[in-house]
């Protein structure tokens, strides 16, 4: 690599990273100010640094329960999505069967459906089932989008493992469940990681369905944040702090799967 | 895996059953409801009249819908036009190995994991003249910037917000594609005396073909379905300047409670996406058809 | 076409102390203009590193590389005007065969009609004239390798063509075809060719001279015959030949040679060095007789295998396994029979500290 090329690219990269981080920095900046300071003066860093906003969130149940609720249904959804996707992906990867291509395509089309289309039907469905305002309702609603994605990703990874491994295991006397758990899963753990990452990502960030299906008990943080107007006007400071805290789980997750991201985005297919 | 090598086994259906149950529950039941509503006039929970395709016809004639559809198409095309080249450029400038690679990866991917309403909120704050860095700076430089008042400003803000939010997805996909190129190709290109642009055009771009296709499809689909971010940022305004299809649908369904037309539109919406994706996919395949045909000579 | 001189070493770390710090131990070697050479050795012996130093993809940590007397140690591969063929075919997928071959010339602004002529010539040489307008991506592996090779040959002033195990991905039945083609090209174009491989058959059939390497060290440079007859190092004896050379630890002193306690009478006229030795004798040259004679060692036959083109007899002599080859027509001894092996003869090599002394 010639130094010239590096130089230009490094500048471009630095410029982009600044572009990417500046809005986030601004929100962090605001989260350490009070509402008074925000509205009265404009500064690049807090003049009167305060932890107050974060304190509010950690002590006020209506705030922190939002995070807990979100984490709960995201976790439930990720576990279910990946668990049901694993056997299905195996089937698509290893066998041909009646309607296999059609089902696979149909699964993918679910990913193409605007969530807005399902607003009302979901509302009615879950009300009928008495599951409104529960974590499981949101977890199940998100299955619609995450399961096809998980199947798609896992199938790609599984197709990269030669059939001979399956056959050897059968010859060696492994039953299918034992083979799957003890031999196959470790081989595709990168794929499982990637699938779980995407499921987490989508479920964590989604607002429309999460808000529609919850009201009090399972209210996710994303919904709480859309209602921060009080009599004294917009509570920018607390809102900013809440926003910063929603980025934290995401950052942690990316850090853990960073090695798989580069490989995994190719989804084993490239 | 070569599809013709796979054995036929109908028992594989058992493995697929859990998935089918989940998705059927989440998809088919609601979809049936939607179809149901789309062909009825629900005057009250007791009084329902079958109206056939009346709602579909009404929806197709709806001027507001045409407006939203047109704005949506413009938006999605603009999004693709900016995010794809920018994402590729970003991927080309990201380091391939070492701690720097991990650090850059995390920083770049951060925006993908922010809840969509928080994305809207971030930019809502950022763009305000009184408390936002961007708004304040632009005002100080003399621009009369207002994303709440001026439709053009609102458009640009929504676009930049989406670029900020989603370009990393394209970049990460392209990055993965680039990593799959063995060193020997670059070495051979050096030996052949190829220019940097030739390396990009003849080695990097072809190898990234498949991932880029995924990127284009994903970005198109998702931008066509976008709801939360613009809603939080501009609420669809000023007026209807930034009201795209999803918001239009939600307004109709939840706001105005016109179940019939909303349901009819839902189906049409879904079909439009399906159709456009199909067309896009085939077009991209045809761009590289000869490549694929000879792949297993 | 150039003469390449190497006088260098390459270490992983800035201050190499012991042998294992080096990828290439200090060496001095000369490849004459127009010669065909092979770098032969097991994986990790440094042959690919040496090749990359010659091509310019790696700069040696110490020493120089000279092309026709000009120091090119820090020059790029382009500046050295070399061509390199890699383990797997490296072609430009989106171009046709003709465009692939023309690419290096286009980059040098060669006029179009000259390009066409040259491409036609090279395609003819590679038996690819009828495929010039086909998309390169759709061809088989061996054809793609020919294109890779062709791109290297298309420049008429190319100084040397370097090969890094180029037949690795080629089907076995096509390998010998490509090898023959390479020899043909060498004959016609008289280029300096340097070929890295771990396959001795490839090396010995392709090259005029072979450099045998192990663990960063070039242990012998010589023709196939020299390597076979007089391996300079026990490694060479062991590596070349199928199976490799037989080795016997021995002690010589005062005209008497003892092998693992057994005395071996030294035949008349054979000079044997003194001290602790290793005897090396190839299975092809190990004679067997039924009776004790000067220079023989008693052994018991363990196994006789009919391999088709020869018979392989495995014997056990004082705990050391020795193998010998017999023609299919020869009468092989019975398993379990006691025989006498001529371990001392004109083809025996004597080694001290793994190096050839006599």
């Amino acid at each position: 690599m010639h130094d010239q090329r590096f130089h230009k690219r490094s500048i471009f990269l630095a410029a982009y990273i600044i572009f990417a981080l500046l809005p986030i920095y601004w929100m962090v900046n605001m989260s350490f100010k009070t509402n008074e300071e925000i509205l009265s003066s404009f500064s690049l860093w807090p003049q009167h640094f305060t932890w107050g906003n974060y304190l509010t969130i950690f002590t006020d149940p209506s705030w922190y329960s939002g995070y807990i609720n979100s984490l709960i249904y995201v976790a439930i959804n990720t576990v279910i999505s990946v668990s049901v996707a694993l056997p299905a992906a195996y089937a698509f990867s290893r066998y041909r069967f009646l309607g296999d291509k059609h089902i696979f395509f149909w699964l993918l089309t679910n990913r193409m459906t605007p969530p807005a289309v399902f607003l009302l039907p979901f509302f009615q469905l879950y009300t009928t089932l008495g599951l409104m305002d529960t974590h499981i309702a949101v977890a199940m609603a998100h299955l619609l989008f995450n399961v096809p994605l998980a199947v798609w990703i896992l199938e790609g990874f599984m197709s990269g493992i030669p059939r001979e491994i399956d056959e050897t295991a059968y010859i060696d006397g492994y039953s299918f469940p034992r083979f799957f758990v003890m031999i196959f899963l470790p081989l595709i753990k990168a794929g499982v990681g990637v699938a779980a990452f995407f499921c987490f990502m989508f479920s964590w960030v989604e607002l429309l369905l999460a808000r529609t299906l919850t009201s009090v008990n399972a209210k996710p943080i994303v919904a709480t944040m859309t209602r921060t107007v009080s009599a004294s006007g917009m509570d920018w400071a607390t809102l900013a702090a809440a926003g910063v805290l929603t980025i934290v789980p995401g950052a942690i997750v990316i850090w853990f799967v960073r090695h798989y991201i580069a490989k995994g985005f190719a989804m084993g297919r490239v | 895996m070569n599809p013709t090598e796979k054995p036929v086994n109908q028992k594989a259906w058992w493995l697929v059953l859990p998935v089918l149950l989940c998705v059927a529950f989440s998809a088919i039941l609601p979809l049936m409801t939607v179809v149901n509503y789309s062909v009825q006039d629900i005057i009250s929970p007791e009084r329902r009249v079958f109206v056939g395709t009346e709602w579909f016809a009404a929806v197709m004639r709806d001027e507001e819908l045409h407006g939203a559809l047109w704005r949506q198409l413009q938006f999605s095309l603009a999004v693709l036009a900016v995010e794809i080249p920018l994402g590729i450029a970003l991927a080309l400038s990201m380091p391939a190995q070492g701690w720097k690679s991990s650090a850059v990866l995390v920083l770049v991917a951060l925006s993908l994991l922010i809840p969509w309403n928080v994305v809207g909120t971030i930019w809502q704050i950022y763009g305000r003249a009184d408390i936002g860095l961007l708004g304040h700076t632009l005002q100080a430089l003399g621009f009369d910037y207002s994303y709440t008042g001026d439709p053009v400003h609102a458009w640009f803000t929504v676009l930049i917000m989406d670029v900020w939010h989603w370009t990393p997805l394209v970049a990460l996909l392209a990055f993965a594609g680039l990593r799959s190129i063995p060193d020997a190709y670059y070495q051979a290109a050096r030996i052949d005396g190829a220019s940097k642009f030739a390396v990009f055009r003849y080695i990097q771009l072809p190898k990234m073909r498949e991932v880029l296709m995924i990127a284009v499809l994903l970005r198109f689909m998702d931008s066509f379905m976008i709801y939360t971010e613009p809603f939080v940022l501009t609420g669809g305004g000023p007026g209807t300047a930034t009201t795209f299809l999803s918001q239009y649908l939600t307004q109709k369904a939840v706001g105005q409670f016109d179940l019939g037309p909303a349901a009819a539109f839902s189906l049409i919406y879904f079909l439009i996406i399906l159709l456009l994706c199909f067309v896009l996919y085939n077009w991209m395949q045809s761009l590289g058809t000869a490549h694929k045909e000879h792949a297993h000579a | 076409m150039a003469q390449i001189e190497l006088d260098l070493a390459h270490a992983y770390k800035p201050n190499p102390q012991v042998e294992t710090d080096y990828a290439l131990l200090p060496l001095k070697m000369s490849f004459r203009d127009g010669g065909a050479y092979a770098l032969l050795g097991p994986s990790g012996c440094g042959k690919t590193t040496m090749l990359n130093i010659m091509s310019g993809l790696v700069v040696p940590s110490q020493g120089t590389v000279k092309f026709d007397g000009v120091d090119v140690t820090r020059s790029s591969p382009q500046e050295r005007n070399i061509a390199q063929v890699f383990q797997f075919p490296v072609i430009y997928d989106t171009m046709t065969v003709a465009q692939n071959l023309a690419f290096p010339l286009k980059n040098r602004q060669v006029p179009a009609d000259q390009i066409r002529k040259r491409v036609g010539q090279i395609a003819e040489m590679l038996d690819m004239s009828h495929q010039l307008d086909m998309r390169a991506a759709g061809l088989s592996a061996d054809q793609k390798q020919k294109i890779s090779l062709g791109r290297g040959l298309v420049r008429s002033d190319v100084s040397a063509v370097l090969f890094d195990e180029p037949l690795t991905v080629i089907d076995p039945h096509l390998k010998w075809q490509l090898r023959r083609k390479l020899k043909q090209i060498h004959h016609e174009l008289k280029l300096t060719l340097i070929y890295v491989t771990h396959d001795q058959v490839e090396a010995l059939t392709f090259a005029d001279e072979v450099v045998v390497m192990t663990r960063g060290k070039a242990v012998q440079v010589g023709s196939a015959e020299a390597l076979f007859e007089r391996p300079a190092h026990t490694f060479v004896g062991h590596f070349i030949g199928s199976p490799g050379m037989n080795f016997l630890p021995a002690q010589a002193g005062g005209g008497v040679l003892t092998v693992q306690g057994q005395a071996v009478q030294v035949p008349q006229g054979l000079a044997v060095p003194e001290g602790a030795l290793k005897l090396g004798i190839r299975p092809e040259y190990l004679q067997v007789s039924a009776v004790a004679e000067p220079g023989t060692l008693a052994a018991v036959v363990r196994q006789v295998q009919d391999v088709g083109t020869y018979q392989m007899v495995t014997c056990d002599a004082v705990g050391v396994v020795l193998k010998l080859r017999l023609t299919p027509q020869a009468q092989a001894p019975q398993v379990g029979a006691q025989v006498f092996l001529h371990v001392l003869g004109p083809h025996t090599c004597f080694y001290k500290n793994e190096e050839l002394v006599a």
Side-chain angles (χ1 to χ4, degrees):
Chain A
M1 287 279 179
H2 297 281
D3 278 12
Q4 274 282 17
R5 190 198 311 193
F6 246 176
H7 205 52
K8 264 192 280 187
R9 291 191 177 183
S10 305
I11 296 180
F12 175 73
L13 185 64
Y16 186 85
I17 293 188
I18 294 177
F19 166 67
L21 293 181
L22 216 46
I24 299 180
Y25 167 73
W26 192 246
M27 197 171 67
V28 172
N29 178 23
M30 271 180 56
S31 71
F32 288 116
K33 299 180 179 179
T34 61
N35 272 317
E36 292 77 43
E37 189 189 332
I38 292 172
L39 294 171
S40 60
S41 66
F42 187 89
S43 57
L44 289 178
W45 56 87
Q47 306 286 24
H48 307 286
F49 188 93
T50 172
W51 287 105
N53 303 310
Y54 289 100
L55 228 53
T56 310
I57 294 179
F58 283 122
T59 53
D60 182 351
S62 68
W63 275 109
Y64 65 67
S65 62
Y67 290 104
I68 299 179
N69 288 332
S70 291
L71 284 171
I72 294 178
Y73 70 66
V74 169
I76 298 178
N77 176 275
T78 304
V79 166
I80 300 181
S81 294
V82 175
S83 312
V84 304
L86 278 169
Y90 185 79
F92 285 117
S93 157
R94 294 302 197 235
Y95 302 114
R96 285 184 296 156
F97 46 93
L98 192 61
D100 55 0
K101 287 217 220 330
H102 300 98
I103 303 252
F104 197 68
F105 179 71
W106 170 72
L107 277 180
L108 290 180
T109 60
N110 286 306
R111 176 67 177 72
M112 294 186 219
T113 327
V117 167
F118 290 106
L119 260 188
L120 220 41
F122 273 0
F123 188 84
Q124 299 192 328
L125 178 65
Y126 287 103
T127 314
T128 319
L129 288 176
L131 285 177
M132 276 300 283
D133 200 22
T134 59
H135 303 100
I136 193 79
V138 186
M140 291 203 306
H142 285 170
L143 285 179
L144 179 61
F145 309 98
N146 278 344
V147 166
L149 194 60
V151 170
W152 190 41
I153 295 175
L154 287 170
E155 196 270 339
F157 275 88
M158 289 184 183
S159 294
I161 311 281
R163 291 211 69 172
E164 283 74 30
I165 298 199
D166 307 23
E167 286 158 12
T168 311
Y170 291 145
I171 294 175
D172 285 348
Y174 279 83
S175 66
F176 181 70
R178 244 186 99 209
F179 149 73
F180 200 83
V181 173
M182 304 203 63
I183 300 183
F184 202 65
L185 269 186
L187 288 173
I188 51 157
K189 62 179 200 278
V192 174
V194 171
F197 167 73
F198 275 98
C199 289
F200 171 88
M201 175 176 140
F202 180 80
S203 197
W204 178 251
V205 301
E206 203 275 334
L207 171 85
L208 197 54
L209 293 174
R211 192 179 61 177
T212 309
L213 296 173
T214 60
S215 51
V216 180
N217 294 326
K219 191 158 166 199
I221 184 61
V222 291
T224 316
M225 283 180 66
T226 58
R227 288 159 196 168
T228 38
V229 187
S230 67
S232 47
M234 200 70 171
D235 188 359
W236 292 115
T238 319
L239 188 66
V244 170
L245 287 176
T246 60
I247 304 184
V248 170
I252 296 178
V253 170
I254 305 179
W255 180 254
F256 277 117
V257 299
R258 67 191 184 279
H259 292 304
Y260 298 130
I261 290 184
K263 270 190 294 184
F265 261 85
M267 297 170 198
R269 291 174 167 280
V270 176
Chain B
M1 180 171 275
N2 192 334
T4 58
E5 288 171 5
K6 291 197 279 197
V8 180
N9 186 344
Q10 306 300 348
K11 283 200 284 188
W13 266 94
W14 289 107
L15 293 173
V16 183
L17 205 55
V19 159
L20 286 181
L21 285 174
C22 284
V23 180
F25 175 75
S26 307
I28 298 191
L29 285 178
L31 218 47
M32 277 170 19
T33 319
V34 172
V35 173
N36 195 11
Y37 284 158
S38 70
V39 290
Q40 292 184 6
D41 188 358
I42 301 166
I43 304 163
S44 76
E46 291 77 31
R47 282 176 61 205
R48 302 175 174 212
V49 180
F50 183 79
V51 293
T53 55
E54 190 182 308
W55 292 134
F56 290 96
V59 161
M60 302 282 246
R61 284 194 302 264
D62 185 352
E63 292 276 330
E64 278 181 35
L65 172 68
H66 295 165
L69 180 59
W70 176 233
R71 284 188 293 270
Q72 178 71 76
L73 279 172
Q74 287 177 313
F75 179 69
S76 291
L77 285 175
V79 156
L80 284 179
V82 175
E83 289 178 17
I84 303 290
L86 186 60
I88 297 178
L90 190 54
L92 288 172
S93 54
M94 284 165 64
Q97 292 147 326
W99 67 267
K100 282 194 203 158
S101 181
S102 294
V104 168
L105 214 50
V106 172
L107 290 177
V108 165
L110 206 52
S111 68
L112 293 174
L113 277 152
I114 307 180
W116 296 345
N117 68 312
V118 178
V119 172
T121 306
I122 290 178
W123 280 84
Q124 193 184 18
I125 297 175
Y126 200 53
R128 282 173 68 115
D130 53 350
I131 56 173
L133 184 59
L134 181 68
H136 190 93
T137 316
L138 286 176
Q139 288 282 28
L141 288 175
F143 293 107
D144 189 17
Y145 169 71
S146 163
Y147 65 79
T148 45
D150 187 321
V152 175
H153 295 174
W155 245 91
F156 269 104
T157 315
V158 172
L159 186 61
I160 302 284
M161 175 177 68
D162 195 272
V163 167
W164 177 86
H165 188 187
W166 288 109
T167 304
L169 182 66
V170 181
L172 287 176
L173 282 167
F175 184 73
L178 282 175
R179 297 287 75 73
S180 73
I181 304 177
D183 258 343
Y185 278 86
Y186 293 110
Q187 291 169 349
R190 270 171 79 186
I191 291 172
D192 285 342
S195 66
K196 282 176 252 168
F197 180 69
V199 169
F200 174 69
R201 181 173 166 207
Y202 295 118
I203 298 178
Q204 292 174 315
L205 207 50
K207 295 284 178 202
M208 289 198 288
R209 230 187 100 254
E210 271 116 14
V211 271
L212 285 182
M213 260 173 44
I214 298 177
V216 168
L217 276 173
L218 275 180
R219 282 316 305 138
F220 174 75
M221 264 166 32
D222 288 347
S223 71
F224 214 78
M225 295 195 255
I226 200 174
Y227 174 77
T228 313
E229 301 98 304
F231 183 68
V232 171
L233 180 63
T234 60
T240 55
T242 53
T243 305
F244 304 121
L245 282 177
S246 268
Q247 195 182 335
Y248 174 74
L249 170 61
T250 314
Q251 271 171 354
K252 263 230 166 346
V254 178
Q256 298 162 22
F257 231 68
D258 280 340
L259 293 183
F265 174 57
S266 294
L267 292 176
I268 295 178
Y269 192 7
F270 175 53
L271 285 173
I272 295 178
I273 296 186
L274 206 55
L275 185 67
L276 287 173
C277 278
F278 185 69
V279 166
L280 204 58
Y281 181 71
N282 281 322
W283 176 65
M284 288 195 289
Q285 285 285 62
S286 74
L287 282 185
T289 304
H291 176 95
K292 283 266 168 183
E293 269 172 3
H294 290 293
H296 299 289
Chain C
M1 285 138 278
Q3 181 193 33
I4 304 178
E5 283 151 38
L6 303 176
D7 183 1
L8 51 85
H10 189 63
Y12 303 115
K13 297 185 258 188
N15 278 321
Q17 307 291 342
V18 289
E19 280 199 357
T20 46
D21 288 341
Y22 282 96
L24 284 177
L25 291 161
L27 58 88
K28 210 169 152 134
M29 213 174 290
S30 183
F31 299 88
R32 55 157 223 294
D33 186 359
Y37 295 88
L39 302 181
L40 176 66
S43 301
C45 68
K47 53 193 195 294
T48 303
T49 311
M50 193 190 292
L51 195 77
N52 285 337
I53 288 178
M54 282 196 265
S55 67
L57 295 169
V58 170
V59 178
S61 58
Q62 56 192 96
T64 61
V65 179
K66 292 201 184 141
F67 275 43
D68 283 336
V70 178
D71 187 331
V72 296
T73 320
R74 306 216 176 286
S75 309
S76 69
Q78 277 157 270
E79 287 160 355
R80 302 183 197 198
N81 216 358
I82 55 111
Q84 188 157 343
V85 181
F86 299 88
Q87 267 179 358
F88 51 89
V90 175
I91 55 163
Y92 300 102
D93 293 321
T94 52
M95 302 186 194
T96 63
V97 175
Q99 288 167 338
N100 257 279
L101 293 176
F103 192 62
L105 297 178
K106 267 182 75 180
N107 288 330
R108 294 160 135 223
Q109 271 97 33
V110 174
D113 50 328
Q114 269 189 40
I115 295 183
R116 225 171 314 134
K117 233 179 79 182
R118 186 69 183 165
V119 167
Q121 264 179 344
I122 298 296
E124 175 95 29
M125 220 188 282
L126 295 169
D127 295 329
M128 295 196 84
S129 311
H130 57 287
Q131 288 161 317
L132 278 175
D133 291 319
M134 286 179 68
R135 288 204 99 170
L139 300 173
S140 61
D142 62 307
Q143 289 169 319
K144 286 184 182 175
Q145 272 298 42
K146 284 205 272 187
I147 300 177
S148 293
L149 175 61
R151 272 210 326 276
L153 300 175
V154 79
R155 290 176 277 142
S156 35
D157 58 346
V158 62
S159 54
V161 184
L162 309 175
F163 300 85
D164 190 355
E165 308 203 43
L167 301 183
T168 309
V169 296
I170 312 292
D171 285 335
H173 65 279
L174 291 168
K175 279 197 207 207
W176 75 269
Q177 264 188 26
L178 266 180
R179 278 211 301 268
R180 249 189 29 181
K181 180 61 65 185
L182 288 177
K183 265 208 110 75
Q184 243 181 311
I185 291 177
H186 179 226
H187 196 70
E188 273 188 50
L189 296 178
K190 310 216 188 308
L191 296 167
T192 314
L193 301 178
I194 307 188
Y195 192 103
V196 163
T197 179
H198 57 267
D199 182 332
Q200 50 171 306
V201 175
E202 271 179 36
L204 296 172
T205 52
F206 172 83
D208 303 328
E209 274 186 54
V210 178
V211 179
V212 182
M213 299 178 68
T214 176
R215 286 192 242 146
K217 192 163 165 194
V219 286
Q220 187 171 0
V221 182
S223 64
E225 206 199 323
L227 292 172
F228 196 79
E229 297 289 332
R230 312 283 303 161
H233 193 282
T234 51
F235 175 78
V236 179
H238 166 77
F239 195 74
I240 307 264
S242 161
M245 203 176 235
N246 292 305
F247 289 107
L248 285 166
Q251 192 76 23
V256 176
L257 187 77
T258 12
V259 177
Q260 303 277 76
Q262 240 199 67
V264 178
Q265 204 186 348
V266 180
Q268 278 280 39
L270 188 70
V272 174
E274 302 278 299
L277 295 173
K278 227 184 215 180
L279 301 184
I281 181 135
R282 291 206 174 271
E284 290 82 352
Y285 295 129
L286 188 57
Q287 309 272 35
V288 60
S289 54
V291 293
E293 285 168 18
T296 59
L297 186 67
V300 179
V301 176
R302 292 276 177 240
Q303 201 186 31
V304 178
Q305 287 165 293
D306 186 341
V307 184
T309 44
Y310 60 88
Q311 298 181 72
M312 178 76 76
V313 182
T314 311
C315 305
D316 184 341
V318 293
V320 180
V321 175
L322 295 175
K323 295 192 182 206
L324 63 110
R325 281 162 73 139
L326 295 174
T327 58
Q329 298 82 21
Q331 181 71 10
Q334 296 277 43
V335 176
Q338 185 178 64
V339 291
F340 294 90
L341 303 173
H342 283 257
V343 295
L344 287 178
H347 295 279
T348 309
C349 298
F350 297 93
Y351 294 91
K352 271 193 193 180
N353 293 325
E354 315 302 332
E355 308 236 348
L356 186 68
V357 290

